[in-house]
Amino acid sequence: MKIAVCVKRVADMDVRFRIAQDGTSLDEAGLKFDINDFDAWAVEAALQLKEKAGQGEVVAISLGPDNVQETIRKALSMGADRGIHLKADKIPFDGSAIASAIAAELKDGGYDLVFFGKLSPDSANGVVGTVVAEKIGYACVTAVSRLEIADGKGKAKRELEGAQEIVEFSLPAVITVDEGLNTARYPSLKGIMAAKKKPLESKPAQLGEVQIEIAALEMPPERAAGKIIGEGAAAVPELIRLLSTEAKVL
Amino acid sequence: MANIFAFAESRNGKTRKAALETVTAARSLADSTGGEVHALIAGAAGISGNAATLGSYGADVVHAAEHPGFEKYNAEALAELCAARIREGGYRVAVFSTSAQGRDLAPRVAAKLGVGIVTDVTEFKLDGDNVTVKHPINIGKVIATVRIKSNPALFAIRSGVVTPAQNAKAGRVEQVQPVGDPSSSRVKVTELIEGGSGKLDLAEAPVVIAGGRGLKTAENFKLVEDLAAAFGNAAVGATRAVTDDGWRPHSDQIGQTGRLVSPDLYIAVGISGAVQHLAGMRTSRTIVAINKDKDAPIFKVADYGIVGDVFEVLPVLTEAISEARKSH
Ligand SMILES: Cc1cc2nc3c(=O)[nH]c(=O)nc-3n(C[C@H](O)[C@H](O)[C@H](O)COP(=O)(O)OP(=O)(O)OC[C@H]3O[C@@H](n4cnc5c(N)ncnc54)[C@H](O)[C@@H]3O)c2cc1C
Ligand SMILES: Nc1ncnc2c1ncn2[C@@H]1O[C@H](COP(=O)(O)O)[C@@H](O)[C@H]1O
C-alpha cells in the first residue's frame, strides 16, 4: 500500500495576531509553528494502515518555503518513510493554487490512498484535499471520523449536522480527516533521530493560477463588553426580560 | 445584469435551512444587478415538490433533478450536475452553504470548473464586476476581505449569517437531467444515521444550547435537552471536552475543529470559553453564559451572564422559558 499524506505548517492559534505592514498578511514574528492538528491525525491514519498491512510506504508532502521541511520532519519522526518538499516563496491563500501543485506531484505516483486534514485553521477553507482529488481523478471522502480499508475498498463514517453518514468507496481515494478518527502518536526519541536520516526531496512547486486573494485584513469587531446580570436562579427573571425586550429573541 | 446560482441543499427529500439561506443570499446579489436567481435541487422522485418553497424565498427558476441516484447525498453526481448547470447558465456567482454537505460539494464543483472557492463566508458583495467576500481566518481572530477573481465566482456561506427571507417569485420549475448515471458514483452513502426525527440540528436551529464540562456527566445533558425542548426551536451543542469524553457525538462539537454556528441565541452552560470554542460561536447574535466562575472567559463575550451553578439555574430557566413560550 502506497500512501501519501499532505501536511501543512501552521501557526499556533493561541496568540493575538498582528496585521503586517502590507495590510494583507500577518506578522509572523514571535509566532510558533507546528504541523496542523488535522494533518497529524492524517499521518497517524496512514501509519496505522501501513502497520496493519505489514508493508507499504508513507510519503509526507508539504508545500511552502524551506521552513516547511520541519513539518515534514515531524511526520517522518512519527514514522513516515520519506518526504517531498514542494518549494514556494510562501504558502498561497488560494487552496486551489496549492492543490494544483500537490496534484501535479501525486498524479503519476501510483498512490492507493492520499490523506489530508479536513481544514487548516489559518486559511480556514477546507478545500485542498477535495480539489486535489478532482484533479487526479480519485474518489474522495471528506471529514472522516472512522475508517476501514480492506481489499481495495473503504468504508468511512462522516459527521454531519445532527446526523452521520456511512460511506463506501473504491480505491484509489483521497481521504480528509476529521477530529475523532484517532489520537496522533508523539514522535519517540528514536523516531526523531531516525527522521534526520530519512530521504527528503525538495523541488519547485508548480502552483496553479491564483484566483482568490486577500485584499485586506482587519481585526473582528469587538463584541460589546460582556455583562453579568446577576447571580444564581434569582437572575432568571431578569434574563427573560432582557431576552424578550432587549435582544428580542423570545 | 447577472444571474446567480444557488445550490439548494436537501436531506432525505426535505429542503434544509441552508437552501433557504443560499437562495436568500443569491436573491440579494441578483437584486443588486437586476438578474435572476436560479436554484438547483436534486433528490429522488418528488423533490420538485420543494420548488414552491424555494420560489417563495426568491428563486426565479428552480432546476429540479429527480433520480433514484440522488436519494442520498451523491457527491460525485451532484458535483457533475452543479458544474454542468453553472457552465450552461453562465452565472456570475454560485452560492453554496458551508454545511457538512456544502463543504464537501463546493470544492468539487470549483475544481471541475477550474475556478477558485472560498468557504465560510460571512459577508459578500457583487459590486460592478468585483466579487468580494469576508472570511474569518486564524480561528476567527482575523477577518479577511477576499477578492474572487474567477468568473463564475464560487463561495459557500456560513450557516446563520443570512436570515432566510420570503421574497416570492413565480418560481418556474424546470426538470433537469443528471449528467451520466448517478448510480455509478465511486463514493456511495449506504446509510444515513439521523439524531431524533423532527429534532432541529445545529445548522437549522435559531437557538443553540451548548453544554460544557461544567455539566459533570453525560446524564446531566438532560438538563440542556430539557431547556432546548422548552424553546422548541433549539439544538444542543457541546465543547470538545464533552465530545472527547464521549458524552455527546463529535457532530455536536462547536468550535475551531467542530461546527461553526451563528444562531440568533447561543446559551453556553458550564463552558469556560476557550478561544477554540469561541472560534465556532462568537458571531452568534445574542450570547448568554451560565458559569459558576465569575472570571470565566465566556463572560467576556456574553451579552448576558449569570454567575451560578448550572444545576440550580437550568431547571428554573427551563421553567421560565416554557412559561414565556406559552404566553406567546
Ligand atoms: C487545537 C485545538 C482545537 C480545539 N478545538 C476545540 C473546539 O472545536 N471546540 C471546543 O469546544 N474546544 C476545542 N478545544 C478545546 C478547548 O481548548 C477547551 O479545552 C474546551 O473548549 C473546554 O471545554 P469546557 O469549557 O467544556 O471545559 P472547561 O474548560 O473545563 O470549563 C468548564 C467550565 O464549567 C464551569 N463549571 C464547572 N462546574 C460548574 C457548575 N456546577 N455550574 C456552572 N459552571 C460550572 C467551570 O467554571 C468552567 O469554566 C481545542 C483545543 C485545541 C488545542
Ligand atoms: N501548503 C500545504 N502543504 C501541504 N498540504 C497542505 C498545504 N495546504 C493545505 N494542505 C492540506 O490540505 C488540508 C486542508 O487545507 P485547507 O484547504 O487549507 O483547509 C490540510 O489539512 C493539509 O492536509
Side-chain angles (χ1 to χ4, degrees), chain A residues 8 15 40 44 76 94 99 104 112-113 115 117 155 171-172 183 186 189 198 230 239 249:
Chain A
K8 186 179 185 187
V15 296
E44 179 64 38
L76 298 179
D94 185 349
D112 301 297
L113 280 167
F115 283 98
K155 194 171 171 185
L171 300 195
T183 310
Y186 288 105
L189 192 58
K198 288 181 177 170
L239 177 63
V249 285

Side-chain angles (χ1 to χ4, degrees), chain A residues 37 179, chain B residues 211-216 238-242 253-258 269-277 290-293 296 308-311:
Chain A
D37 284 309
E179 189 168 20
Chain B
R213 189 154 30 205
L215 283 153
K216 307 276 191 302
T239 62
R240 174 153 115 179
V242 163
Q253 183 177 321
I254 293 166
Q256 175 181 337
T257 46
V269 180
I271 290 177
S272 60
V275 282
Q276 296 90 355
H277 185 75
I290 304 165
N291 193 305
K292 68 175 182 190
D293 172 10
D309 185 336
V310 293
F311 301 106

Side-chain angles (χ1 to χ4, degrees), chain A residues 13-14 220 222-223, chain B residues 120 136-141 143 158 210 238-240 253-263 266 268 271-284 287-289 291 296-303:
Chain A
M13 294 291 140
D14 213 354
E222 291 283 331
R223 285 192 76 93
Chain B
D120 194 25
I137 61 170
N138 292 45
I139 70 163
K141 291 185 169 189
I143 310 294
R158 178 184 288 202
T239 62
R240 174 153 115 179
Q253 183 177 321
I254 293 166
Q256 175 181 337
T257 46
R259 315 277 139 208
L260 308 170
V261 298
S262 216
Y266 189 91
I271 290 177
S272 60
V275 282
Q276 296 90 355
H277 185 75
L278 300 184
M281 46 64 77
R282 70 179 314 148
T283 52
S284 305
I287 298 175
V288 172
N291 193 305
I298 191 75
F299 286 126
K300 292 213 180 71
V301 300
D303 300 285

Side-chain angles (χ1 to χ4, degrees), chain A residues 123 125 142 179 223 246, chain B residues 104 119 135 193 240 282 304:
Chain A
S123 49
N125 251 324
T142 61
E179 189 168 20
R223 285 192 76 93
E246 199 177 80
Chain B
D104 186 83
T119 66
H135 163 83
I193 309 160
R240 174 153 115 179
R282 70 179 314 148
Y304 310 121

Side-chain angles (χ1 to χ4, degrees), chain A residues 1 12 85 87 165 189-190 217:
Chain A
M1 180 119 58
D12 176 5
H85 170 209
K87 197 172 155 84
E165 255 175 19
L189 192 58
K190 207 169 129 221
L217 292 179

Side-chain angles (χ1 to χ4, degrees), chain A residues 13 15 122-123 125 134 137 140 142 161 164 166 168 179 211 213 215-216 218 223 227 229 232 246, chain B residues 100 104 108 112 119 134-135 141 143 145 147 149-150 186 188 190 193 240 257 282 284 304-305 307:
Chain A
M13 294 291 140
V15 296
D122 49 1
S123 49
N125 251 324
E134 288 286 335
C140 175
T142 61
E161 299 87 2
Q164 289 144 346
I166 307 296
E168 290 181 7
E179 189 168 20
Q211 303 189 69
E213 63 187 17
E218 64 193 308
R223 285 192 76 93
K227 205 165 56 205
I229 60 164
E246 199 177 80
Chain B
D104 186 83
R108 294 179 193 258
K112 288 190 192 297
T119 66
K134 295 221 171 167
H135 163 83
K141 291 185 169 189
I143 310 294
T145 301
R147 193 178 304 120
K149 297 196 285 187
S150 37
R186 294 165 298 179
K188 283 199 174 69
T190 54
I193 309 160
R240 174 153 115 179
T257 46
R282 70 179 314 148
S284 305
Y304 310 121
V307 179

Side-chain angles (χ1 to χ4, degrees), chain A residues 5-9 36 38-39 42 61-64 91-92 95 98 102 115-129:
Chain A
V5 191
C6 294
V7 295
K8 186 179 185 187
R9 177 180 188 262
N36 176 11
F38 288 106
D39 302 353
I61 302 175
S62 192
L63 180 150
I91 302 178
I98 297 174
I102 295 179
F115 283 98
F116 291 83
K118 170 179 91 165
L119 179 92
S120 37
D122 49 1
S123 49
N125 251 324
V127 302
V128 173

